[in-house]
Amino acid sequence: MPPSSTKVDAPRRAAADVISAVDTDSAYANLLLPRLLRERAITGRDAAFATELTYGTLRWQGVLDEVVGAASSRDVVTLDPPVRAALRLGAYQLLHMRTPAHAAVHATVELARATSGPRPVGLVNAVLRKVGGADWPTWVRRLAPSDEIGRLAFTHGYPRWVALAFDRALGGDRDELAGALAEDRPVTHLVARPGRIERDDLLRDAGPDATAGTWSPYAVRLGSGDPANLPAVRSGAAAVQDEGSQIAALAAARVGLADGDSGVWLDMCAGPGGKAALLAGLLPDGGRLVCAELQPHRARLVAGALAGDGQVVIADGRRPAWSDASFDRVLVDAPCTGLGALRRRPEVRWRRSPDDVGRLHELQVQLLLAALRSARPGGVIAYVTCSPHPDETRAVVDRAAAAVSGVRRLDTAAVIGVPDVGPGPDAQLWPHRHGTDAMYVSLLMPEHRS
Ligand SMILES: C[S@@+](CC[C@H](N)C(=O)[O-])C[C@H]1O[C@@H](n2cnc3c(N)ncnc32)[C@H](O)[C@@H]1O
């Protein structure tokens, strides 16, 4: 066990523990931090400070590493993980928060002493004094790349390849790109699951600063407070679900079909079941929802979310456990980089790489091809990702649609009824335009064969 110290304040210690776990155990901050705050009874302003520290540090991590590297003349990967976490936290406070420099340095030195003993104290002190010896604009002048995309990436806390992907998805408008990269404050959205709770009732229970969602008739935007404390969330009648995800599930459920809808629907990549639970509530009378998921533990989460309203199968969507042309509607919410939810999972931008995009692109094409076989002629496939990367969105749909004959691409923007979703026929949502995650939706229809 590392030595402990009462001199370290609880929010900084919680932030450091999360940042270390993200670094060494691939933990997800949005899952771990709320748990630590609960376990350690950190509430109110302290919880808000710990959250700002954790999310801010993770968001800026790669850029902070460059600053720390320049200030220490060594690569941060050579440092012990708890020391690295302390330096990142300290640098974030010095460059991006209003913490007075002496307080940031002192608190971080004590943090390093508490997690690693006396040995790194001198190093942490010296490096942070150097970091704080120049302000953020000065570090930008010293270290930011000179090209426009590289500079925007550095000044907004992104790897260059991610900024480049966003630029491609936005069509090269650099002012808009800067706005997209600046987004970092997620609002918690809830879904009032149809048939289980009315949106107005959820809105009332969610407190005076909650508002109705803009696009989904089931969405509530939470103003403040922990959603886990709401009775409707505890009972499963409502859940945390980004409004963009609701729009995607609604598109799959609502688009008109040739020859009507017999209500046999497939959610091909269902875990953990957020969209499946919404689809289950939208099924026509007598309808049936089949939910496939590759990972057994995620399939169990789907079963929990459905509460008996659908059938869960552990299956690889590429090698279906069902006959071709069996379904009226197929949702393929494909595994993706998650670059569309960086406000909620800030660390993902530094964890993913262009290689991941290439690997996922292949998987996404295979899954979409299997979905095209699984839907009946005149049925519909909704291809969805929580990433705006063009290689995970348009390029996947282009490739799959070109590989099979008789596939019609539907006017997705018209179906979802949300403005500013791109040139079509598919739809790209954005945090800076819609207040949702950057979800991508494309609707396709296999045509009748003559
Ligand atoms: C983006 S998530 C789906 C999120 C889900 N639709 C929701 O709204 O809660 C993608 C899911 O696909 C699953 N998956 C990955 N490869 C798969 C495959 N070959 N067949 C079926 N599911 C797969 C992953 O385990 C993951 O749970």
Side-chain angles (χ1 to χ4, degrees), residues 268-275 293-295 298 315-318 333-335:
M268 192 187 253
C269 302
K275 293 184 195 67
E293 166 57 49
L294 186 62
Q295 306 284 349
R298 290 175 74 84
D316 184 334
R318 292 166 297 179
D333 187 16

Side-chain angles (χ1 to χ4, degrees), residues 17 37 39 133 149 177 237 260 273 315 341 367 402:
D17 290 346
L37 296 179
E39 284 171 7
I149 295 280
L177 175 63
L367 285 165

Side-chain angles (χ1 to χ4, degrees), residues 371-424:
L372 286 164
R373 290 192 295 274
S374 302
R376 66 164 171 83
V380 77
I381 295 103
Y383 174 78
V384 175
T385 59
C386 187
S387 167
H389 195 304
D391 292 352
E392 299 185 82
T393 59
R394 255 176 280 146
V396 170
V397 179
D398 287 350
R399 223 181 111 189
V404 288
S405 57
V407 174
R408 190 150 64 89
R409 293 171 77 159
L410 306 182
D411 184 351
T412 306
V415 172
I416 66 177
V418 177
D420 295 328
V421 291

